[in-house]
Amino acid sequence: MHSNIVATVGVEHPTYGAPSLVQGVYGARGNLELAACDVTDGLWVFWYNSDLADDSLEPSDVGPGAWSAGLRFAMGQRYMDAVILQGTLGPDDLEVLALDANAVLQSWYWSAPHGFQRRTTDAATDVASFAAEHDEGTLTVQVETRHGAHHLAVSGPSPYPERQWQQRPGERGRNARATTTPDAAVCAVLTASGISIPEVAPGTIRAADSNRCGGTTELTWRDAAGRIRHLGVPQLAR
């Protein structure tokens, strides 16, 4: 069932920027995967156990309906933005694209039992902002450079787990990911859940759809204190 309980994610780990959330394939009902940049060093990934208490569960240190304490990786660099995607190769590896402080868009993947690994080939350089989509093993990244140019970086499924990137023409304005001003439906949901819109950090609201509870819109944002917040509501028309 849905609830109006707003969860705080990663309470003990200061993070930076807008979080990225996707529904994964792990667990009986598809856990949620959330990636965020550490304030000073590396990346964090948190996962939400979507299973119910009466599901046939494998042993886990995270109970049903709870967020994990977080896994830190990619230490040694500061990151400005990150996106996590559920892949179909590997099988079912997770994909992470992470923009470091030197404007390099790094390509990472997670596979069992090896964990997160950085690929030898980066997705793009001179990057100011980006957005990414996954479709049957192909990654398409919309890139805006620091000089205002736009292009696509596209990687097909071969030769996985490595990726080769091709640059293609892109369109201005397609790569905005965060909602600076949330739409009326999102504002109404947050307000009804006791969240004051002025207390939401500008540019950090994101919405992702999942199939939990018959269809859920997973809202994430950062509050005025810098904490990552999560709220799942019946799927909104967007």
Side-chain angles (χ1 to χ4, degrees):
M1 296 178 63
H2 297 286
S3 72
N4 289 328
I5 298 175
V6 178
T8 302
V9 184
V11 293
E12 297 181 359
H13 308 299
T15 56
Y16 170 83
S20 171
L21 181 147
V22 69
Q23 183 177 27
V25 300
Y26 301 102
R29 298 176 183 269
N31 297 327
L32 305 180
E33 309 283 349
L34 186 150
C37 304
D38 187 81
V39 169
T40 58
D41 184 13
L43 300 166
W44 287 95
V45 65
F46 306 92
W47 67 276
Y48 177 86
N49 188 344
S50 296
D51 291 342
L52 303 179
D54 57 354
D55 286 326
S56 178
L57 304 176
E58 296 182 359
S60 173
D61 58 353
V62 180
W67 281 97
S68 72
L71 170 68
R72 192 180 185 185
F73 67 102
M75 281 83 79
Q77 286 185 289
R78 188 186 180 202
Y79 293 87
M80 314 310 293
D81 198 4
V83 167
I84 189 167
L85 301 163
Q86 175 61 64
T88 56
L89 305 176
D92 301 329
D93 292 352
L94 293 165
E95 298 273 356
V96 173
L97 291 157
L99 179 61
D100 69 27
N102 296 315
V104 175
L105 186 58
Q106 301 178 9
S107 176
W108 291 74
Y109 70 103
W110 180 92
S111 64
H114 304 293
F116 283 100
Q117 302 170 77
R118 182 181 175 182
R119 294 188 168 97
T120 58
T121 303
D122 297 317
T125 58
D126 192 37
V127 178
S129 63
F130 73 99
E133 299 176 352
H134 178 276
D135 183 21
E136 298 298 326
T138 294
L139 288 178
T140 301
V141 185
Q142 302 157 17
V143 174
E144 180 177 357
T145 72
R146 291 182 292 181
H147 299 92
H150 295 76
H151 68 269
L152 300 179
V154 181
S155 173
S158 180
Y160 194 84
E162 287 300 321
R163 286 195 174 274
Q164 298 175 350
W165 297 90
Q166 296 181 340
Q167 182 172 318
R168 300 177 184 175
E171 298 178 9
R172 180 180 296 275
R174 290 186 60 198
N175 61 334
R177 295 196 297 119
T179 304
T180 302
T181 304
D183 62 28
V186 172
C187 284
V189 167
L190 295 181
T191 300
S193 300
I195 302 299
S196 172
I197 300 303
E199 291 298 308
V200 175
T204 65
I205 291 181
R206 291 182 182 165
D209 290 334
S210 75
N211 61 18
R212 296 192 309 126
C213 306
T216 298
T217 295
E218 312 288 353
L219 298 175
T220 54
W221 68 95
R222 191 178 296 281
D223 66 15
R227 300 169 300 185
I228 298 174
R229 311 303 296 273
H230 166 249
L231 175 65
V233 298
Q235 201 160 88
L236 302 174
R238 293 187 289 120

